[in-house]
Amino acid sequence: MDTSSPRSNFIRDIIDADLESGRHTRVATRFPPEPNGYLHIGHAKSICLNFGIARDYGGTCNLRFDDTNPEKESEEFERAIADDVRWLGFSWDDRYYHASDYFTQLHDYAVRLIRDGKAYVDSLSAEDIRQYRGTLTEPGRDSPYRARSVEENLELFARMRAGEFADGAHVLRAKIDMASPNINLRDPTLYRIRRTEHHRTGAAWHIYPMYDYTHCISDALEHITHSLCTLEFEDHRPLYDWVLDQLPDLAHPQQIEFARLEVNYSITSKRKLLALVQENLVSGWDDPRLPTLKGLRRRGYPPAALRDFCERVGITKKQTTIDVGVLENCVREELDRSAPRVMAVLDPLKLVIENYPEGQVEDMPAQNHPKDESFGTRTVPFSRELFIEREDFMEDPPKKFFRLGPGREVRLRYGYLVTCTGFERNANGEVVTVRCTYDPATRGGNAPDGRQVKGTIHWVSAAHAVDAEVRLYDRLFDIEDPGSADDFRAHLNPTSMTVIADAKLEPSLAHAAPEARFQFERLGYFCADRLDHQPGRPVFNRTVSLKESWAKGNDRKR
Ligand code: ATP
Ligand code: MG
């Protein structure tokens, strides 16, 4: 877990005041996803906030599935969500709940509201209900069914429950105020008929409670103290409070709203993410270019970096969009700390060391982490034929090019100093081999005579190299705000994925575990793909480059 102390924010201030005043003696939060899709970076903010507060105040945070829409929800989503929360580093212990666990209580409370004259069965059509609701500037009108007797309401509600009516024939509504300036209080629907099986309760129910009615009662039943949600629920808070005010024997948690997390160049709308997946514009929910937690995980983002990012972004009431570069920097910082260094060549060019004995192999000691000795050392085999990066050689280099070119000397990292003696082309005129000589006195990369070379390049021994597929990822969209474009599909970045089929890795990577993360020296941070990587057939994903390559204003620097 992160060791830095959490930044204070207005929600923590409210909690501090509640504990100080004795209004509460403990803190209980919950994270309430609807199992109708996969979690994304925005949800990470809510998870870190809710579980983070529980952790820091010695309280509890429940994982509660808000599963009141049987048509859209599934077991698959539920499992994936629980898996993601755990992966992010949080635990709900045994507090794993569902709104559907409370269907009986929710029903019984609805009966009580009917008895108390606080709810009624409406038989207007959905369209009429909309008409009667009024607008932002005009008050609504009472439904002709609003005056039904308690007995009639009880009977109709019982028959709705028994499955006697078709979907939409009736709804149960709260009896509040059709003239309220807050449309959410204009007799909101509490229950609707859905003759659909639910992934957990099966065919037990023909009526399902609405979110606003369910959420506050679920919070109360779980003795949540602070119910933290995003700003779009601000206008629903009076309804949250109204329902609980009618049920005074229940606890009354406090709803507090905060701004959603939005990240530029990304889409976090569940509907649009679903479209990307269903239209095969990406490879699935875990496509490494998506901001889903499954995607970020597959891309190699460490959970600690996401927690750090959420902490840095902070909690406010002001809606802002965060630059994705901030997220990428959190990833770089975490990986700089935690990823061992290795050598890999993505665009191989053969380098032959003419004066190096044929058949000789030296195991060169290499540091696993130049800034942290605890990572230890390994050896990398050095031999007469190596691969170097194609872009590290130039036939006719400019003065400032400190890599290899005819007559120039460079350091092979952890190897020797070598001087380029020539190169060969194939029939197409492409350079296929570079030739050099090495200075045997420079083992490890330093010249005993103190002569300096400006460039150090990475390499792998050709005979020992492990062939690998390497996938380079870039931003999925080429505009900052794809979410508000007329059609986000028109703004997909055509080069968001490049597959290199024949990269060359140092042999230590042959046994990398799926999801293991490394810095490929000079190239970036990479992780072994959690699904496709296999011992005999390594597949690595580029998590992030070493430096920010997108300048402000969407210009590629390289
Ligand atoms: P839906 O449109 O299906 O309601 P949702 O993104 O709100 O989508 P939920 O499963 O309801 O999905 O979200 C679970 C929790 O995560 C809610 O408390 C919600 O407020 C919070 N959340 C969702 N998106 C964000 C976001 N971008 N930033 C912060 N919190 C978010
Ligand atoms: Mg929601």
Side-chain angles (χ1 to χ4, degrees):
M1 264 300 95
D2 318 45
T3 47
S4 56
S5 70
R7 258 171 54 186
S8 94
N9 58 50
F10 80 97
I11 294 180
R12 286 174 187 262
D13 292 344
I14 292 173
I15 294 174
D16 289 339
D18 286 347
L19 292 172
E20 173 93 356
S21 72
R23 179 165 179 225
H24 292 296
T25 52
R26 69 196 164 88
V27 177
T29 57
R30 85 285 169 267
F31 172 63
E34 179 174 358
N36 66 348
Y38 284 79
L39 298 182
H40 53 63
I41 182 78
H43 293 112
K45 174 173 174 176
S46 178
I47 295 169
C48 291
L49 174 67
N50 282 294
F51 281 93
I53 282 179
R55 175 195 61 210
D56 298 334
Y57 285 90
T60 52
C61 179
N62 299 351
L63 176 60
R64 183 204 312 142
F65 292 94
D66 166 30
D67 55 350
T68 55
N69 275 314
E71 291 109 329
K72 293 188 183 158
E73 297 158 2
S74 77
E75 191 74 40
E76 175 205 337
F77 291 132
E78 176 172 331
R79 266 197 305 272
I81 289 169
D83 192 42
D84 283 345
V85 173
R86 210 179 297 113
W87 174 76
L88 251 194
F90 297 104
S91 167
W92 51 84
D93 299 320
D94 56 351
R95 295 179 308 280
Y96 185 88
Y97 302 121
H98 301 84
S100 56
D101 299 339
Y102 313 129
F103 277 174
T104 301
Q105 282 140 298
L106 289 160
H107 166 268
D108 295 350
Y109 284 120
V111 169
R112 189 150 121 204
L113 292 179
I114 296 174
R115 286 221 167 88
D116 292 346
K118 301 290 170 66
Y120 63 98
V121 174
D122 197 353
S123 310
L124 287 178
S125 67
E127 179 49 33
D128 283 340
I129 288 182
R130 237 189 321 277
Q131 294 288 332
Y132 276 75
R133 189 172 291 131
T135 63
L136 284 173
T137 48
E138 280 170 51
R141 285 174 295 137
D142 287 1
S143 159
Y145 301 101
R146 199 177 199 260
R148 271 178 169 146
S149 69
V150 168
E151 288 64 36
E152 193 184 356
N153 283 323
L154 287 172
E155 191 207 319
L156 282 171
F157 190 54
R159 293 176 60 198
M160 284 165 67
R161 179 188 178 180
E164 289 186 26
F165 304 117
D167 287 12
H170 308 279
V171 291
L172 184 73
R173 300 179 71 175
K175 194 185 272 189
I176 309 180
D177 178 7
M178 288 306 291
S180 172
N182 183 339
I183 292 189
N184 294 301
L185 293 182
R186 292 185 191 166
D187 291 9
T189 301
L190 304 180
Y191 266 92
R192 67 231 189 287
I193 300 171
R194 279 288 177 282
R195 299 208 300 183
T196 307
E197 292 207 4
H198 184 280
H199 74 279
R200 294 193 69 252
T201 59
W205 294 90
H206 305 287
I207 52 172
Y208 291 94
M210 300 298 287
Y211 173 85
D212 281 324
Y213 174 71
T214 308
H215 200 74
C216 52
I217 294 178
S218 304
D219 281 349
L221 292 172
E222 291 176 16
H223 297 279
I224 300 304
T225 55
H226 299 87
S227 177
L228 315 178
C229 62
T230 35
L231 281 180
E232 70 271 23
F233 292 104
E234 196 162 23
D235 291 343
H236 296 239
R237 183 170 6 113
L239 177 54
Y240 185 104
D241 289 333
W242 182 89
V243 171
L244 294 180
D245 284 343
Q246 312 314 307
L247 304 169
D249 51 321
L250 280 178
H252 195 138
Q254 180 182 0
Q255 174 178 312
I256 307 170
E257 308 85 18
F258 62 94
R260 292 177 90 80
L261 170 62
E262 307 285 355
V263 178
N264 64 4
Y265 296 102
S266 323
I267 268 177
T268 50
S269 144
K270 275 187 192 166
R271 190 175 52 78
K272 290 174 184 161
L273 289 169
L274 183 67
L276 286 168
V277 173
Q278 286 185 338
E279 294 167 30
N280 292 317
L281 298 169
V282 294
S283 65
W285 285 102
D286 62 351
D287 188 297
R289 294 164 295 181
L290 289 182
T292 53
L293 297 186
K294 290 261 178 277
L296 298 174
R297 174 177 182 175
R298 193 155 177 202
R299 175 90 172 244
Y301 280 28
L306 295 181
R307 295 194 298 266
D308 177 36
F309 172 66
C310 291
E311 185 66 37
R312 284 193 213 185
V313 172
I315 301 293
T316 63
K317 275 209 177 265
K318 191 165 171 290
Q319 192 60 59
T320 50
T321 299
I322 308 295
D323 192 309
V324 66
V326 176
L327 173 59
E328 290 167 349
N329 273 329
C330 290
V331 173
R332 282 188 192 100
E333 279 185 29
E334 174 55 31
L335 290 174
D336 181 37
R337 246 191 314 276
S338 60
R341 276 51 172 171
V342 292
M343 291 197 286
V345 174
L346 298 186
D347 188 6
L349 174 62
K350 186 71 78 67
L351 179 72
V352 177
I353 307 170
E354 293 171 314
N355 59 339
Y356 194 87
E358 203 117 20
Q360 176 172 308
V361 180
E362 284 178 273
D363 283 327
M364 309 302 279
Q367 279 178 299
N368 292 335
H369 199 306
K371 302 177 195 170
D372 185 346
E373 279 187 8
S374 72
F375 279 72
T377 58
R378 67 189 187 289
T379 58
V380 279
F382 187 88
S383 66
R384 190 169 191 270
E385 294 199 358
L386 310 176
F387 288 116
I388 61 169
E389 210 67 64
R390 183 166 291 276
E391 65 170 27
D392 283 337
F393 170 78
M394 272 182 93
E395 229 181 290
D396 188 13
K399 242 204 155 96
K400 287 258 159 86
F401 184 82
F402 298 123
R403 293 168 269 168
L404 220 45
R408 300 205 183 188
E409 186 172 47
V410 293
R411 176 184 298 106
L412 295 174
R413 180 106 164 125
Y414 301 123
Y416 291 93
L417 301 187
V418 292
T419 304
C420 178
T421 52
F423 59 93
E424 285 154 25
R425 297 176 197 278
N426 64 12
N428 299 327
E430 296 158 19
V431 175
V432 287
T433 307
V434 175
R435 299 194 164 270
C436 66
T437 54
Y438 84 118
D439 177 350
T442 59
R443 192 172 199 270
N446 292 311
D449 62 4
R451 76 177 183 279
Q452 295 295 317
V453 293
K454 284 231 171 100
T456 300
I457 65 175
H458 60 273
W459 52 275
V460 295
S461 167
H464 303 87
V466 174
D467 291 327
E469 177 178 319
V470 174
R471 301 167 182 168
L472 304 181
Y473 293 105
D474 205 334
R475 291 173 189 171
L476 184 56
F477 294 99
D478 57 15
I479 53 167
E480 276 212 33
D481 187 5
S484 51
D486 286 341
D487 186 5
F488 59 91
R489 296 166 189 83
H491 300 282
L492 288 163
N493 171 9
T495 58
S496 60
M497 171 157 118
T498 311
V499 177
I500 298 172
D502 54 354
K504 304 286 182 185
L505 313 181
E506 69 166 65
S508 74
L509 285 171
H511 305 291
E515 293 198 82
R517 305 180 182 95
F518 300 91
Q519 183 192 100
F520 289 1
E521 292 209 25
R522 300 178 63 226
L523 297 174
Y525 295 99
F526 293 75
C527 85
D529 190 79
R530 62 187 284 236
L531 299 180
D532 300 336
H533 175 83
Q534 283 163 24
R537 181 66 194 138
V539 178
F540 281 85
N541 299 325
R542 183 171 67 192
T543 306
V544 68
S545 57
L546 288 180
K547 292 198 187 88
E548 172 135 43
S549 59
W550 283 57
K552 273 245 172 316
N554 190 18
D555 257 348
R556 286 295 259 156
K557 267 198 198 135
R558 62 176 177 119

